[in-house]
Amino acid sequence: MRVLLPAHQQIVLQSSQQGVQHLKAHSSELGFLQHFNLHRYDSNIRELVLHSSLASIAAQLLGTRKLRLYQDCVFLKEPGFSQTNWHSDCPLSPLDTSSFVTAWIPMRALQGSADSGLEFAQGSHRDIAAHFHHSARSSDLSTRGYKIASVGRMELGDVSWHHGWLLHHAPAQPPGSPTRMALAVSYFRDGARVVQQQCEDDEEDRESFRAWLGSGRGKLAPGDYACHALLPLVDC
């Protein structure tokens, strides 16, 4: 078992109980817990993320009929967990593409400001300077002049979509509220090539692609076409 925390070196734990104890000791530093690519182990999640009802919307948004699944990820925010910093998804992936979208699916109804729903910096996916000159995980967007939009209230079954370069974040989960869980599913247009990950210090996101990227038999290297069994084509 591996536990990754901000500003802490990676540690190896021997049991889930030890992991829970370590997380509780650092709970004030956590914005969320995440688990990547459940579709590889759970048939229900796999059916959902590969289903044409989601994939057809992603394909329409990207203007393509050939689509690949990049990843799914469950994000969990316990009451009192801190905010998730502003970021965009593309710099955290090792893909040379701008044709990348994410579906964000809450796993219970969200009660507006009483929950930690996503907030978006409108138009930021077209702000090349922001991504070129600033960190992918910025905490201050006050000088950029963006209008901020929120998902607001969401019912079970609602889905929010955002572009891979759109800056977004989530506020803290209010104390005393129920745990917030959401499933994020990312797709990209077939034809992208692999590049070196832009955020070299982002160990947590490397968990998503370490199984198919790097040295070793059957893995992809920078420059390769992003074609791999773990990046499946999706029926649109």
Side-chain angles (χ1 to χ4, degrees):
M1 179 185 298
R2 288 153 43 85
V3 173
L4 304 172
L5 290 171
H8 288 266
Q9 291 185 342
Q10 174 184 311
I11 63 171
V12 178
L13 304 173
Q14 303 303 318
S15 69
S16 58
Q17 182 179 8
Q18 191 179 5
V20 170
Q21 291 173 346
H22 189 79
L23 291 171
K24 285 183 176 180
H26 297 278
S27 60
S28 63
E29 305 166 47
L30 292 173
F32 54 85
L33 301 178
Q34 62 184 339
H35 196 305
F36 287 109
N37 295 314
L38 286 172
H39 73 275
R40 298 177 187 171
Y41 319 104
D42 187 287
S43 60
N44 292 318
I45 297 294
R46 182 173 180 83
E47 181 180 3
L48 172 63
V49 302
L50 297 179
H51 199 279
S52 60
S53 60
L54 276 182
S56 61
I57 297 174
Q60 183 178 2
L61 290 170
L62 294 177
T64 185
R65 295 295 298 173
K66 296 193 70 177
L67 196 70
R68 289 185 180 271
L69 174 67
Y70 174 64
Q71 69 177 28
D72 69 73
C73 186
V74 170
F75 291 93
L76 182 149
K77 267 187 182 289
E78 296 280 5
F81 272 25
S82 63
Q83 72 167 348
T84 305
N85 286 341
W86 288 97
H87 66 284
S88 56
D89 297 335
C90 278
L92 306 177
S93 75
L95 298 176
D96 184 7
T97 186
S98 292
S99 295
F100 187 109
V101 291
T102 296
W104 193 80
I105 310 169
M107 301 176 75
R108 64 166 176 81
L110 299 184
Q111 305 303 317
S113 60
D115 271 312
S116 177
L118 289 191
E119 296 182 349
F120 308 99
Q122 292 183 327
S124 58
H125 61 300
R126 296 188 292 268
D127 187 354
I128 298 174
H131 299 284
F132 186 80
H133 294 297
H134 300 277
S135 167
R137 293 186 181 274
S138 173
S139 59
D140 182 11
L141 299 178
S142 60
T143 64
R144 307 304 300 179
Y146 301 130
K147 291 183 178 179
I148 306 301
S150 170
V151 296
R153 299 177 67 91
M154 296 183 73
E155 299 298 328
L156 193 62
D158 288 348
V159 181
S160 171
W161 291 86
H162 59 269
H163 191 274
W165 285 105
L166 187 72
L167 290 166
H168 56 284
H169 88 136
Q173 184 66 18
S177 63
T179 297
R180 190 222 73 186
M181 293 182 66
L183 175 68
V185 189
S186 297
Y187 304 91
F188 67 98
R189 185 202 297 260
D190 183 40
R193 291 192 178 273
V194 176
V195 294
Q196 193 72 29
Q197 186 195 18
Q198 297 183 47
C199 298
E200 292 294 333
D201 61 344
D202 206 320
E203 180 68 19
E204 61 187 83
D205 286 281
R206 195 171 287 114
E207 286 291 314
S208 176
F209 53 79
R210 67 171 64 250
W212 56 264
L213 177 63
S215 59
R217 184 177 180 181
K219 291 191 175 184
L220 302 178
D224 288 345
Y225 168 47
C227 175
H228 194 280
L230 297 179
L231 300 170
L233 284 167
V234 185
D235 183 9
C236 301

